[in-house]
Amino acid sequence: MALLCQRACLPTFKAVPAGRALPLDFACVRAGTRGDVQPFVALARGMAEQNNWLVTFATELRWRDFVLSKTRGLSAGAVRFRPTGGDTSARIEGWIARLFIESKMEMLQCMMLAWSEADFFSSGPAL
């Protein structure tokens, strides 16, 4: 997980109504299954609503509708979605991945998790 608090790095977001300046931009980058992403969606919603922040949530395209539906109708702040590469859920559904997950060997489990997120950032090196 990577968390960034830099206003200058984030592009302007057209969905924030004109004249509604938000005091802070916050970025949350998260990959994984729904169980990995869901707690951070709740965190993003709370940060936007309670602090009137613009929260940019970057995760796999598979979770776009989920993120947007859970952050709709905020009374303050805003949450926007940005897609990243990768599809962790698709990678861990194969029989080899299941074998590695069910293995008692920590080394195999670590290798499988690294492999599942190998193309999270498309510009990163592929394993």
Side-chain angles (χ1 to χ4, degrees):
M1 174 186 71
L3 300 174
L4 308 171
C5 279
Q6 297 179 341
R7 186 172 194 71
C9 296
L10 298 172
T12 304
F13 184 50
K14 296 177 184 174
V16 175
R20 185 174 162 203
L22 299 176
L24 181 69
D25 292 343
F26 187 86
C28 181
V29 180
R30 188 68 187 130
T33 63
R34 180 176 168 160
D36 297 321
V37 173
Q38 185 170 352
F40 290 92
V41 172
L43 178 66
R45 181 183 175 91
M47 291 171 67
E49 199 157 38
Q50 292 182 11
N51 300 308
N52 194 34
W53 290 354
L54 170 60
V55 179
T56 302
F57 198 95
T59 189
E60 299 164 6
L61 189 56
R62 170 186 286 246
W63 305 118
R64 179 183 181 274
D65 292 339
F66 176 74
V67 170
L68 295 177
S69 71
K70 297 300 180 187
T71 57
R72 191 173 296 127
L74 298 176
S75 60
V79 175
R80 66 178 163 185
F81 177 84
R82 292 292 187 252
T84 62
D87 189 346
T88 303
S89 295
R91 286 207 176 207
I92 65 171
E93 289 172 0
W95 69 271
I96 294 176
R98 293 231 179 249
L99 181 69
F100 277 31
I101 290 171
E102 293 168 4
S103 168
K104 301 292 185 207
M105 294 181 62
E106 187 176 348
M107 176 85 159
L108 288 179
Q109 291 176 351
C110 289
M111 287 172 49
M112 198 287 307
L113 291 173
W115 174 68
S116 71
E117 296 183 3
D119 57 342
F120 180 69
F121 293 106
S122 57
S123 61
L127 297 178

